[in-house]
């Protein structure tokens, strides 16, 4: 249908039927509507520009919470920190003195707009996965090189007012050197027990930019008490909170960790150290491996070991392969009935002893107890017996037994063996004494690990001194004997076991027997 025009002076009025109104585009109405939308967009853009300007104005100003900079507060806080007095202030700030002095400052920075923009910038910073025996998390490069506006303002505050404030509070002659980086912990990430001691580090700090967080989410800053200078138990756990600053003095007893993150959240923080006159480093006791002659307990090898591994031809084939690669895994090593019997006994065993200190290791071990099942004791005797040293010698070509196929002039070797249990939170760590001054043979056999996955941790990682790359990884596998030759430049650690086995495994823990064999000259 056509539209009919009726002129009223200089204006034009469009008259159309109801069908045309709903069925056809009206050019004038569209034009007016577009103008209204255009004006609305223009107004919105003006509002957006105004908002951005306001945000930029806000982000150009960042300061320490004015409550914390008042002379009376600084004096009171300093007294409590230096004299190690536990105290809580009206502002919510507190000094914790157990197990060592630590300061918690909620709402540390102002204003709120700046803090959110700082977090937004950190979300855009490149982070790299850090993975070692001690930790798993994501970390940025040194933020000292960042030119992003909010990060730059944060650094200026940190290097200036915050440094001077920290000197007044701690009474330490801090230098101008300050480390700063961004760390992001997500599900299963962790940082195990350590003391932060490194020449010149005097104050460790963590500034949190986290979402709403609860203790059940993990990611807590755990502080350890010490027994004879070594970390023992968690004494205090601090839950991260938005805009909170935590700092403590680095010392021989400042053992702490970031517990495993158990929630699907990101624990973002800015952290580092203030530097000053170095302290005298502490020396920690490192337990050395104790080697013993083989046990004299009689063992019937044929009842225990898969017959194929007792055949001379098979042993020769394995020896040739081992001498070329220095490692081999032997599947179905124990006879099936014996293996299943041990698995059952270990599952039912309630006698376990925790092995530490947690700055070096954290797992459980079968103690010397009359309540241990006989089959378990027989298994321990097997791997420390003279007949087994003979088999190990024939399988590897090492001089472990005078009756070996290749070394009739060899002396009887020595052995150190333990039966261990692994579950969430178990691990071993590297240290300077992890590297022996002689070569050894590691033999490891796992129990109760039918559905174990590598992402759970619990694998044994072999590394070379001064090198970052992993040389070899041995995963927990049922009834598989892993033989690895370790030189003076090589050592190993067991990677931290996270919470995943609790969710996915019928048996969230496993056991292994680790035997270390040493040639005797």
């Amino acid at each position: 249908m056509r539209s009919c025009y009726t002129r009223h002076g200089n204006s034009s009025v469009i008259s159309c039927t109801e069908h045309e109104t709903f069925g056809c585009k009206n050019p004038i109405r569209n034009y007016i509507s577009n103008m209204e939308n255009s004006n609305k967009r223009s107004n919105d853009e003006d509002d957006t520009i105004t908002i951005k300007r306001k945000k930029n104005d806000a982000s150009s100003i960042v300061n320490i919470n004015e409550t914390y900079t008042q002379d009376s507060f600084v004096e009171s806080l300093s007294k409590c920190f230096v004299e190690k007095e536990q105290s809580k202030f009206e502002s919510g700030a507190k000094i914790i003195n157990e197990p060592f002095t630590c300061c918690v400052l909620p709402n540390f920075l102002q204003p709120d707009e700046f803090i959110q923009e700082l977090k937004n910038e950190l979300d855009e910073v490149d982070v790299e996965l850090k993975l070692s025996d001690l930790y798993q998390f994501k970390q940025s490069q040194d933020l000292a090189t960042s030119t992003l506006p909010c990060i730059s303002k944060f650094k200026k505050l940190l290097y200036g007012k915050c440094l001077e404030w920290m000197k007044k509070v701690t009474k330490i002659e801090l230098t101008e050197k300050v480390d700063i980086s961004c760390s992001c912990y997500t599900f299963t990430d962790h940082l195990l027990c350590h003391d932060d001691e490194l020449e010149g580090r005097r104050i460790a700090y963590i500034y949190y930019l986290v979402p709403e967080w609860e203790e059940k989410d993990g990611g807590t800053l755990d502080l350890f008490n010490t027994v004879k200078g070594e970390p023992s138990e968690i004494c205090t756990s601090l839950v991260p909170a938005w805009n909170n600053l935590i700092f403590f003095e680095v010392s021989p007893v400042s053992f702490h960790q970031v517990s495993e993150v158990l929630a699907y959240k990101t624990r973002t923080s800015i952290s580092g150290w203030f530097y000053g006159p170095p302290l005298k480093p502490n020396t920690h006791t490192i337990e050395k491996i104790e080697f013993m002659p083989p046990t004299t307990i009689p063992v019937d090898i044929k009842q225990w070991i898969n017959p194929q591994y007792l055949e001379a031809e098979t042993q020769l084939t394995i020896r040739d392969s081992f001498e070329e690669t220095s490692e081999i895994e032997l599947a179905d090593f124990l006879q099936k009935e014996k293996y299943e019997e041990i698995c059952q006994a270990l599952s039912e065993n309630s006698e376990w002893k925790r092995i530490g200190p947690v700055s070096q290791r954290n797992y459980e071990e079968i103690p010397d107890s009359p309540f241990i099942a006989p089959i378990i004791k027989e298994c321990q005797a097997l791997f420390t017996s003279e007949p087994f040293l003979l088999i190990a010698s024939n399988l590897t070509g090492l001089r472990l037994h005078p009756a070996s196929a290749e070394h009739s002039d060899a002396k009887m070797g020595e052995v150190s063996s333990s039966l261990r249990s692994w579950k969430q939170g178990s691990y071993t760590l590297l240290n300077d004494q992890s590297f022996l001054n002689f070569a050894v043979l590691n033999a490891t056999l796992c129990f109760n690990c039918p559905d174990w996955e590598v992402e759970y941790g619990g694998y044994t990682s072999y590394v070379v001194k001064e090198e970052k790359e992993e040389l070899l990884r041995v995963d927990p596998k049922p009834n598989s004997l892993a033989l690895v030759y370790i030189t003076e430049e090589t050592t190993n650690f067991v990677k931290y076991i996270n919470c995943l086995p609790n969710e996915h495994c019928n048996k969230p823990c496993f056991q292994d027997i680790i035997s270390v064999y040493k040639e005797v000259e």
Side-chain angles (χ1 to χ4, degrees):
M1 293 185 180
R2 293 173 58 188
S3 297
C4 301
Y5 284 81
T6 306
R7 287 191 179 273
H8 297 277
N10 293 327
S11 64
S12 297
V13 178
I14 298 178
S15 176
C16 58
T17 67
E18 188 175 355
H19 292 87
E20 289 176 315
T21 303
F22 290 98
C24 302
K25 290 184 178 180
N26 187 318
I28 300 297
R29 183 173 295 173
N30 284 345
Y31 174 76
I32 294 172
S33 177
N34 288 339
M35 284 296 294
E36 290 174 345
N37 289 336
S38 177
N39 289 334
K40 185 175 185 300
R41 283 197 300 270
S42 179
N43 291 335
D44 288 346
E45 287 168 1
D46 289 342
D47 290 343
T48 302
I49 291 169
T50 303
I51 291 169
K52 286 182 178 178
R53 283 174 183 161
K54 286 180 180 178
K55 284 185 177 180
N56 288 335
D57 289 343
S59 66
S60 66
I61 303 170
V62 57
N63 264 312
I64 300 172
N65 187 325
E66 60 184 15
T67 301
Y68 300 145
T69 58
Q70 294 175 4
D71 291 342
S72 57
F73 177 84
V74 172
E75 185 178 344
S76 298
L77 187 71
S78 177
K79 180 179 182 297
C80 294
F81 187 86
V82 172
E83 297 180 6
K84 307 183 188 306
E85 295 179 359
Q86 185 152 316
S87 183
K88 189 169 184 178
F89 300 83
E90 290 184 5
S91 61
K94 59 183 178 181
I95 295 287
I96 298 165
N97 65 354
E98 291 292 340
F100 51 85
T101 307
C102 180
C103 181
V104 181
L105 297 170
N107 303 313
F108 183 66
L109 294 184
Q110 297 173 330
D112 293 340
E113 294 87 349
F114 171 85
I115 301 165
Q116 184 57 59
E117 288 190 53
L118 175 63
K119 172 62 165 60
N120 294 342
E121 285 188 4
L122 291 173
D123 289 342
E124 299 302 317
V125 170
D126 290 334
V127 291
E128 180 183 355
L129 176 64
K130 301 290 183 180
L131 184 64
S132 76
D133 59 319
L134 185 65
Y135 48 71
Q136 174 188 300
F137 64 98
K138 275 70 68 179
Q139 188 178 49
S140 70
Q141 298 294 324
D142 190 342
L143 291 179
T145 59
S146 175
T147 57
L148 293 173
C150 288
I151 293 176
S152 297
K153 292 179 177 69
F154 181 90
K155 289 188 296 181
K156 183 178 180 181
L157 180 70
L158 186 71
Y159 300 154
K161 290 181 181 179
C162 195
L163 174 59
E164 294 306 313
W165 181 90
M166 195 66 72
K167 289 179 182 178
K168 292 178 182 178
V169 170
T170 63
K171 303 301 182 188
I172 298 173
E173 289 299 320
L174 301 173
T175 66
E176 293 184 357
K177 181 180 179 181
V178 182
D179 284 344
I180 175 173
S181 65
C182 172
S183 298
C184 298
Y185 290 75
T186 54
F187 184 59
T188 72
D189 285 349
H190 54 272
L191 172 59
L192 301 178
C193 181
H194 63 290
D195 61 10
D196 268 359
E197 275 198 295
L198 195 67
E199 187 173 359
R201 289 180 180 175
R202 295 302 305 273
I203 297 292
Y205 72 90
I206 312 101
Y207 176 66
Y208 293 107
L209 291 166
V210 296
E212 186 175 338
W213 208 276
E214 300 178 75
E215 189 168 4
K216 67 179 182 180
D217 297 329
T220 53
L221 177 63
D222 297 335
L223 313 182
F224 289 83
N225 61 16
T226 53
V227 176
K228 296 181 179 179
E230 300 296 341
S232 178
E233 303 289 340
I234 295 171
C235 180
T236 301
S237 290
L238 302 173
V239 178
W242 178 265
N243 196 19
N244 268 25
L245 178 77
I246 293 178
F247 68 88
F248 56 86
E249 184 175 1
V250 177
S251 75
V253 296
S254 59
F255 288 100
H256 60 284
Q257 71 174 14
V258 176
S259 67
E260 179 185 352
V261 174
L262 304 175
Y264 289 94
K265 299 179 180 180
T266 300
R267 179 190 185 274
T268 302
S269 66
I270 297 175
S271 59
W273 298 270
F274 292 91
Y275 284 75
L279 298 173
K280 183 180 179 181
N282 192 27
T283 54
H284 298 287
T285 303
I286 305 294
E287 295 181 10
K288 295 183 178 181
I289 299 177
E290 292 186 9
F291 289 93
M292 304 289 290
T295 180
T296 56
I297 299 174
V299 175
D300 188 348
I301 289 289
K302 293 181 179 179
Q303 288 187 1
W304 280 90
I305 297 177
N306 187 329
Q308 67 172 323
Y309 295 121
L310 302 179
E311 297 174 0
E313 186 176 347
T314 302
Q315 290 180 351
L316 177 60
T317 302
I318 292 171
R319 182 164 67 248
D320 288 343
S321 176
F322 184 86
E323 288 176 343
E324 183 176 342
T325 63
S326 297
E327 57 90 13
I328 197 167
E329 291 191 56
L330 307 179
D332 301 319
F333 184 74
L334 297 183
Q335 296 208 34
K336 183 179 179 181
E337 296 77 9
K338 286 288 187 182
Y339 180 78
E340 291 177 350
E341 190 177 351
I342 299 168
C343 285
Q344 183 65 30
L346 289 171
S347 296
E348 296 172 353
N349 179 66
S350 59
E351 295 282 323
W352 295 101
K353 176 185 177 183
R354 203 191 81 168
I355 304 298
V358 290
S359 56
Q360 299 173 32
R361 61 185 74 86
N362 186 34
Y363 59 85
E364 293 179 320
E365 190 175 83
I366 287 276
D368 185 10
S369 167
F371 302 105
I372 302 300
I375 187 68
I376 296 176
K377 291 187 176 182
E378 290 174 27
C379 181
Q380 290 177 296
L382 167 69
F383 285 93
T384 58
S385 67
E386 283 192 20
F388 193 87
L389 263 72
L390 176 58
I391 292 173
S393 184
N394 289 337
L395 291 172
T396 63
L398 297 176
R399 303 167 63 90
L400 297 174
H401 198 287
S404 62
E406 289 191 339
H407 305 292
S408 58
D409 60 339
K411 295 181 180 180
M412 185 66 69
E414 294 179 335
V415 59
S416 176
S417 184
S418 64
L419 212 164
R420 310 175 295 186
S421 182
W422 304 91
K423 59 185 178 182
Q424 182 186 3
S426 298
Y427 58 86
T428 65
L429 299 178
L430 298 176
N431 54 65
D432 292 338
Q433 280 69 37
S434 298
F435 296 88
L436 302 173
N437 56 7
F438 49 84
V440 294
L441 173 68
N442 266 21
T444 311
L445 187 87
C446 294
F447 306 94
N448 291 314
C449 56
D451 49 1
W452 200 265
E453 300 290 344
V454 66
E455 58 263 30
Y456 304 164
Y459 54 81
T460 301
S461 180
Y462 289 85
V463 295
V464 179
K465 188 183 290 188
E466 308 299 338
E467 291 187 15
K468 295 181 179 180
E469 294 298 322
E470 185 177 65
L471 184 67
L472 173 70
R473 177 180 296 181
V474 178
D475 299 325
K477 297 175 185 175
N479 200 11
S480 178
L481 182 71
L483 297 174
V484 182
Y485 185 65
I486 301 179
T487 67
E488 297 89 330
E489 297 297 313
T490 313
T491 191
N492 66 86
F493 65 88
V494 177
K495 182 59 182 170
Y496 173 87
I497 297 176
N498 58 40
C499 65
L500 289 174
N502 297 336
E503 299 178 9
H504 302 293
C505 291
N506 292 327
K507 295 181 178 180
C509 64
F510 71 91
Q511 299 79 39
D512 70 3
I513 185 163
I514 171 74
S515 302
V516 184
Y517 302 96
K518 175 187 174 185
E519 295 174 304
V520 175
E521 298 298 330

